[in-house]
Amino acid sequence: GIRVVAVNDDPMIRKPNTVLQYPQGARCFINYHRFIETSLIGINPECLKSNNTRIPPGDDGFGQELFFSDIDLEDRPRTFLTETGLNAPLEPQLTLIVTIGTDKSLHENAGEVTIVHTKHDTYMSFESFRNSDGLQTIAMQGTLTEVNELMRIIRFDTHPDYNGYLPVRVTVNDNGNFGECSGAHVCGQNTPCADHTTAEAHAAPRQGVLNTAIDLSIGG
């Protein structure tokens, strides 16, 4: 008989379907060196008392954070015990890239995503940079659970000189993590599926990628 084995499905995202309204110039991160105005990590304490820079903003945003899922991605703990008893990190399951704007001439300094704090005992990685188009970008990697938990605490800082419409691009990559053919069972015609890249009956391995956008409006 013929057996169909799913190789990979793209990640999915739950996101707001409305335009998100942000005040002009509302910032959580100010500067690492301006301790009089911020905490020692450069975060404005007054910002953390308000919800108007959350994603989405406002008190009614709780429970509506960006949420990622993947039907064939097994969300494992970030560490596992090796044969020698060591606690070793797993490879990250998701890569999330958030880019502010689409046009450098319009959106170069419109705003940025700020991570106000992180959890202890996590192997997540973060990088904030300007991409090849000159747009403010943040990239993060972690397990599905870690990325979703981070969505509850990130903030969007708006520049005091920018107002108007602002598109935010979101890209999610499952890093080639697949679901059914994980090596835990037999695939195909009595063939152990320890390495899905060498199983002849399978399609070529691929990365699941989702590209979407979130609409923001800054100022009045």
Side-chain angles (χ1 to χ4, degrees), residues 8-218:
N8 201 351
D9 289 287
D10 294 340
M12 300 180 67
I13 179 175
R14 182 194 69 199
K15 64 170 186 173
N17 295 320
T18 58
V19 178
L20 305 183
Q21 302 285 335
Y22 285 90
Q24 185 176 355
R27 302 183 66 81
C28 274
F29 175 76
I30 297 180
N31 191 300
Y32 291 114
H33 303 290
R34 291 165 62 177
F35 299 144
I36 295 178
E37 301 175 35
T38 71
S39 64
L40 293 179
I41 59 174
I43 299 298
N44 175 11
E46 292 302 317
C47 169
L48 300 181
K49 299 176 183 179
S50 171
N51 295 320
N52 62 1
T53 60
R54 297 180 72 254
I55 304 176
D59 293 333
D60 57 353
F62 288 100
Q64 301 300 318
E65 302 87 0
L66 302 182
F67 183 85
F68 304 98
S69 60
D70 192 325
I71 194 172
D72 62 3
L73 181 61
E74 180 184 1
D75 194 16
R76 300 167 294 176
R78 193 66 177 91
T79 60
F80 70 104
L81 293 178
T82 65
E83 294 179 355
T84 58
L86 299 176
N87 203 26
L90 295 170
E91 291 298 318
Q93 293 177 315
L94 286 182
T95 297
L96 172 63
I97 300 175
V98 180
T99 302
I100 309 303
T102 56
D103 186 330
K104 179 181 178 180
S105 65
L106 298 174
H107 310 133
E108 181 178 12
N109 295 309
E112 60 188 343
V113 173
T114 294
I115 300 173
V116 294
H117 63 82
T118 58
K119 293 185 61 177
H120 295 291
D121 301 324
T122 178
Y123 287 90
M124 287 195 75
S125 61
F126 315 93
E127 183 178 6
S128 181
F129 58 96
R130 290 195 180 274
N131 66 8
S132 58
D133 295 324
L135 297 170
Q136 189 67 44
T137 303
I138 187 169
M140 58 192 78
Q141 289 187 322
T143 65
L144 189 61
T145 296
E146 288 173 335
V147 172
N148 280 328
E149 288 179 347
L150 189 66
M151 295 302 101
R152 300 172 185 162
I153 57 176
I154 62 173
R155 301 294 183 116
F156 181 71
D157 289 350
T158 58
H159 195 277
D161 295 330
Y162 184 87
N163 66 82
Y165 171 70
L166 178 63
V168 173
R169 293 179 292 170
V170 178
T171 298
V172 192
N173 188 319
D174 68 6
N175 299 330
N177 284 288
F178 48 89
E180 180 179 356
C181 187
S182 63
H185 69 289
V186 173
C187 297
Q189 188 68 30
N190 298 322
T191 303
C193 189
D195 184 355
H196 74 289
T197 63
T198 62
E200 296 180 358
H202 291 183
R206 58 180 289 273
Q207 293 185 335
V209 179
L210 169 71
N211 292 291
T212 188
I214 302 173
D215 297 317
L216 277 57
S217 179
I218 313 300

